[in-house]
Amino acid sequence: MTQAVLDGVRDLLPGLRERADEAERLRVVPDANIKELEETGFFKLLQPRRFDGFEADPVDFYTAVRDIASACGSTGWVSSVVGVHPWQVALFADEAQQAVWGEDTATRLSSSYAPTGKAVVTEGGYRLSGKWSFSSGADHCSWVLLGGLVLDGDGNVVDFKTFMVPRPDYTINDVWHMVGLSGTGSNDVVVDDVFVPEAFTLSMGETGSCRGPGQAQNTSDLYKLPFHSIFTGTITTPIIGMAMGAYAEHVEMQQQRSRAAYLGEKASKDPFAMVRIARASSEIDAAWALLVGNIREEQAHVARGEQIPLRLRLKVRRDQVIGSQRAIDAIDELFEASGGRALAQGTYLQRAWRDAHAGRVHAANDPERALQMFGAHEFGHKVDPGMY
């Protein structure tokens, strides 16, 4: 069944590419894109089977995201971050899962995990308030997952949680006017003193330990993988997809291009152009191979009933941030070699260049922090596993 989803996604790629300009103009992924992806079953890939999901291999999910982003970067980005949320919802208490999917298994959620909001402990739950930025795809979702610091009565921070909030309890502020990923509709979410029941929260301490109350119902090994491995992969994968789309367009353009500055030389016969193509393709392949290989290694530990070693979790993050950079380096290499026509509005290459560099500034792509933690562990320093 998962293969049918992947095949269905590939059939959509020409249409997604045709609507890429529309996404930028609207500043949000077109409704048609979301509807078509929903019809393929894409948004249920990581959803529990008991809610009509596929509990698919995360590599299959990443493969679908990669392909979508190769046609439209904004659609790839939104599909990735919205499509991964069922994985986390599966870790929440059953009461929360039922609230989201009990009546409609096609319900979607957006997110903003930076703890820019505050929650005060109250009877039965929390009072949540704050403003969260960059909630990609929020207009296509009816719930949101928000990161927040939990405060006790004295104002002391006692936990860092994800809060699940339904659409009537938050406001979306339209502030997304960007030069890259401009079609993602990554707007602000505002919550004003809303009660969130305990069952609708999930401690990052639990997810950092690969645990969650929802594992009592959702027993698949899929839900025993590290949060920071699964989720950061959703940020790198669209960028790899953008690089693949840029590569395909660059090769096609160069096969048709004559270089006026070089006496009409065919670009496809330029040995330096060949070197750039080889270098770029190697970077893209390496980024993808490391992402897939690392997930496979984590899955093998889970399948054997073993705890995933901290070094491996840090390695996943090391290779993830470098994978993003490799994909962007490949796009830069191709963009610089494509000539002035690549600058034309409507070309995939210039859009991929803007979108990939926009994705690079996401917190999950902060290279120094991830690389420093890996190096610290190698030198024998203590590293908090909850963050990786």
Side-chain angles (χ1 to χ4, degrees):
M1 193 63 183
T2 298
Q3 186 59 51
V5 176
L6 295 177
D7 292 342
V9 165
R10 292 188 182 112
D11 288 342
L12 299 180
L13 300 186
L16 298 181
R17 183 160 183 160
E18 287 178 6
R19 290 190 288 269
D21 283 333
E22 181 184 357
E24 289 206 315
R25 186 178 71 255
L26 295 175
R27 298 181 295 110
V28 65
V29 172
D31 290 339
N33 291 11
I34 298 297
K35 183 175 185 295
E36 289 178 353
L37 288 170
E38 181 180 23
E39 289 172 349
T40 69
F42 167 80
F43 291 109
K44 292 184 178 180
L45 281 173
L46 300 183
Q47 195 160 306
R49 286 196 180 94
R50 67 198 192 101
F51 293 111
D52 297 333
F54 297 109
E55 293 186 9
D57 188 322
V59 172
D60 288 338
F61 173 74
Y62 292 145
T63 299
V65 168
R66 181 197 66 187
D67 292 347
I68 295 165
S70 75
C72 174
S74 287
T75 303
W77 186 272
V78 168
S79 68
S80 193
V81 298
V82 172
V84 78
H85 291 146
W87 183 90
Q88 188 185 18
V89 174
L91 298 179
F92 276 77
D94 186 52
E95 180 182 344
Q97 296 178 56
Q98 295 291 345
V100 172
W101 292 316
E103 295 185 2
D104 182 4
T105 58
T107 298
R108 292 183 296 271
L109 305 90
S110 67
S111 67
S112 182
Y113 290 102
T116 54
K118 290 183 172 58
V120 178
V121 179
T122 189
E123 184 177 354
Y126 307 86
R127 304 297 307 188
L128 181 68
S129 296
K131 182 179 77 172
W132 290 261
S133 297
F134 314 128
S135 188
S136 300
D139 289 320
H140 298 295
C141 300
S142 52
W143 289 75
V144 67
L145 297 163
L146 300 171
L149 299 176
V150 178
L151 308 179
D152 63 16
D154 297 323
N156 300 311
V157 176
V158 295
D159 203 351
F160 174 18
K161 287 198 165 198
T162 299
F163 296 84
M164 187 187 295
V165 181
R167 186 64 184 86
D169 289 345
Y170 62 91
T171 301
I172 299 173
N173 288 346
D174 185 0
V175 297
W176 190 248
H177 299 269
M178 303 295 176
V179 297
L181 293 175
S182 53
T184 61
S186 301
N187 288 305
D188 289 352
V189 168
V190 179
V191 174
D192 184 16
D193 192 30
V194 166
F195 174 71
V196 181
E198 178 68 41
F200 289 68
T201 73
L202 188 63
S203 172
M204 295 302 286
E206 281 190 292
T207 54
S209 300
C210 301
R211 293 184 291 106
Q215 290 174 340
Q217 295 81 34
N218 306 312
T219 59
S220 167
D221 285 353
L222 169 64
Y223 305 113
K224 299 172 186 176
L225 293 166
F227 173 92
H228 287 92
S229 296
I230 294 294
F231 271 66
T232 57
T234 67
I235 300 303
T236 292
T237 299
I239 299 176
I240 296 174
M242 295 169 203
M244 292 179 64
Y247 180 86
E249 181 167 88
H250 174 79
V251 170
E252 181 180 355
M253 290 173 64
Q254 297 314 294
Q255 288 175 331
Q256 301 171 4
R257 178 186 176 203
S258 294
R259 306 187 67 181
Y262 294 93
L263 303 178
E265 176 189 63
K266 290 288 188 181
S268 61
K269 295 183 178 180
D270 180 358
F272 302 109
M274 298 174 189
V275 169
R276 284 177 179 263
I277 284 176
R279 185 182 293 119
S281 64
S282 178
E283 291 296 287
I284 297 167
D285 288 349
W288 180 248
L290 285 170
L291 186 148
V292 171
N294 286 335
I295 289 293
R296 288 282 183 251
E297 195 172 346
E298 289 189 324
Q299 287 176 307
H301 283 283
V302 172
R304 293 191 296 265
E306 301 169 354
Q307 184 175 0
I308 299 173
L310 177 57
R311 186 181 188 278
L312 175 56
R313 293 170 65 169
L314 293 169
K315 178 175 175 285
V316 170
R317 288 285 283 124
R318 180 199 72 185
D319 294 340
Q320 175 257 316
V321 295
I322 292 178
S324 293
Q325 191 59 59
R326 277 184 158 139
I328 293 169
D329 288 346
I331 294 173
D332 288 348
E333 183 98 27
L334 299 170
F335 187 67
E336 292 168 5
S338 290
R341 288 183 177 81
L343 295 169
Q345 291 183 352
T347 64
Y348 183 91
L349 195 50
Q350 55 82 22
R351 187 182 297 112
W353 187 89
R354 291 184 287 110
D355 289 346
H357 281 274
R360 169 65 179 79
V361 302
H362 190 283
N365 281 327
D366 180 355
E368 289 79 15
R369 190 172 300 278
L371 300 180
Q372 184 268 332
M373 287 293 101
F374 181 86
H377 183 268
E378 294 296 275
F379 282 138
H381 300 304
K382 186 176 181 180
V383 176
D384 179 9
M387 296 305 295
Y388 294 92

